[in-house]
Amino acid sequence: MELNSDVIYLLRKEFLRLHGQNNKMVIVRSPGRINLIGEHTDYNEGFVLPSAIDRAIYLAVAPGHDFEVTITSLDFNDNFSFDSRKLAKSEKIWANYLIGVVGELRKAGYPVNGFNCVYAGDVPIGAGMSSSAAVESGLALALNTIFGLGISRVELARIAQRSENEFVGVKCGIMDQFANLLSKGESALYLDCRSLGYEYIPFLRKDLKFVLCDTGVKHSLASSEYNLRRQQCEAGVRIMNEYIPGTRSLRDITSQMLQEHEKELGDTVYKRCMYVVEENARVGAARKSLQRNDYASVGELLYISHQGLRDKYEVSCKELDVLVDGASKIEGVLGARMMGGGFGGCTLNLVERDAVGDFKRRIQETYLEKTGKVPQLYECVLMPGTDVVTD
Ligand code: GLA
């Protein structure tokens, strides 16, 4: 696997300078992720198709003294210390992602004592590649390793998700943490977010590339609107349960059932629920298309997913729409859609390898013309999930 040796070198050097030599130190590589399709379905017990990628955060972690925890972020050029038995939210937003993991591990009864952590990486923040899950899951795996906690990867994903729910306050689903810890590389991870059963679907077409276009926009609405969407889906489930007893989540509902109760659901909740039900069906269709090597159909599904996110779930924004619309007019693009929570971040584009150069040039021109800004572009490769780096 390709590792970022510059970052690893820097981490070793800084760890040594700050905390001295420690034979128990581990370095963990914890990647960002993309999601092929299945957006806002995870917290509805639905299906997703994500994968870890070749951008990652690296954490150097070793046991320390008593209960004292010291965390240094080289990217933020900042540090933070606390007692692992006395946990409180910090004003430093970046620190809460890490404090939360310690909190959830201890809540679950695992003995997390003092430790030192220095981290840095190249997962862009706020771009929708889930740098937050990379930090959470990476620390969870590192602590599992240095304290020999013996927690399975699936359970680590649950713990990392809970720490974001409880400590950061975003009621996210499990997709990001799961993709981070269980991806295999060169394949998408088909995950059933109810049973947490999963399978790997190889991504066979080496002549196709994933290109991410970053809007550079991060709306402050993102987390409040995210939580609101979740509440609207839950409201839909409650209403449907009155008519179809036993309905636990939108996973148990068909579009026909929703149509029959459109009035009772009301306009907004109806739209939200319809999007989720249809997106779940699209994940199933994408899985089948991948299995029969039909990437043109996968591309079509990406465009339809974007329309649903824009019109029914209403989590897109002008900049994302400009990028998807622009991509659809460029030859060699099989499909495009916004990716992640929405209200900014990246679009995901499935592009023929030979067309990538032209795609990059033209999408930058379009974005500049329509928004006055130049988008960051990232080509990415599907990689295995978080692991300890061995020399
Ligand atoms: C964010 C959350 C995920 C998921 C996506 C939308 O990335 O962290 O759990 O809900 O949004 O699909």
Side-chain angles (χ1 to χ4, degrees), residues 2-40:
E2 215 165 290
L3 298 170
N4 191 331
S5 46
D6 291 348
V7 175
I8 295 176
Y9 173 77
L10 188 69
L11 281 187
R12 284 193 198 284
K13 201 174 88 185
E14 282 301 296
F15 195 96
L16 190 64
R17 188 177 70 79
L18 293 166
H19 307 295
Q21 179 72 30
N22 190 324
N23 296 337
K24 291 197 178 142
M25 185 190 78
V26 295
I27 293 194
V28 165
R29 169 192 172 272
S30 185
R33 63 105 187 87
I34 58 166
N35 183 24
L36 204 48
I37 197 162
E39 222 61 90
H40 289 276

Side-chain angles (χ1 to χ4, degrees), residues 9-179:
Y9 173 77
L10 188 69
L11 281 187
R12 284 193 198 284
K13 201 174 88 185
E14 282 301 296
F15 195 96
L16 190 64
R17 188 177 70 79
L18 293 166
H19 307 295
Q21 179 72 30
N22 190 324
N23 296 337
K24 291 197 178 142
M25 185 190 78
V26 295
I27 293 194
V28 165
R29 169 192 172 272
S30 185
R33 63 105 187 87
I34 58 166
N35 183 24
L36 204 48
I37 197 162
E39 222 61 90
H40 289 276
T41 46
D42 60 352
Y43 55 83
N44 287 303
E45 296 193 339
F47 303 91
V48 291
L49 256 178
S51 172
I53 55 171
D54 55 342
R55 288 187 163 260
I57 283 164
Y58 291 82
L59 306 96
V61 185
H65 302 296
D66 302 326
F67 293 96
E68 195 191 333
V69 177
T70 308
I71 294 177
T72 306
S73 160
L74 299 184
D75 297 326
F76 292 117
N77 195 15
D78 200 0
N79 59 63
F80 185 74
S81 299
F82 60 98
D83 184 313
S84 71
R85 294 160 305 178
K86 296 185 201 126
L87 300 164
K89 257 193 176 179
S90 166
E91 277 171 13
K92 297 184 182 187
I93 294 176
W94 65 266
N96 286 322
Y97 292 92
L98 300 126
I99 306 170
V101 172
V102 177
E104 287 306 315
L105 281 168
R106 287 188 68 89
K107 241 197 251 170
Y110 295 106
V112 177
N113 299 335
F115 66 89
N116 297 310
C117 167
V118 181
Y119 77 97
D122 63 3
V123 185
I125 293 171
M129 288 178 231
S130 208
S131 56
S132 49
V135 170
E136 293 152 356
S137 309
L139 182 66
L141 186 107
L143 296 177
N144 192 36
T145 309
I146 62 168
F147 293 125
L149 304 177
I151 309 173
S152 72
R153 282 179 178 256
V154 172
E155 193 49 31
L156 285 175
R158 281 207 180 98
I159 288 169
Q161 178 205 8
R162 282 208 299 276
S163 79
E164 180 144 351
N165 291 168
E166 306 293 324
F167 227 81
V168 182
V170 178
K171 301 289 173 204
C172 66
I174 199 161
M175 168 172 73
D176 301 346
Q177 292 79 6
F178 208 96

Side-chain angles (χ1 to χ4, degrees), residues 231-251:
Q231 285 162 18
Q232 289 165 338
C233 292
E234 284 162 7
V237 170
R238 274 197 303 277
I239 296 168
M240 291 306 290
N241 194 45
E242 287 173 29
Y243 301 95
I244 304 160
T247 302
R248 252 178 61 194
S249 71
L250 293 177
R251 158 76 169 276

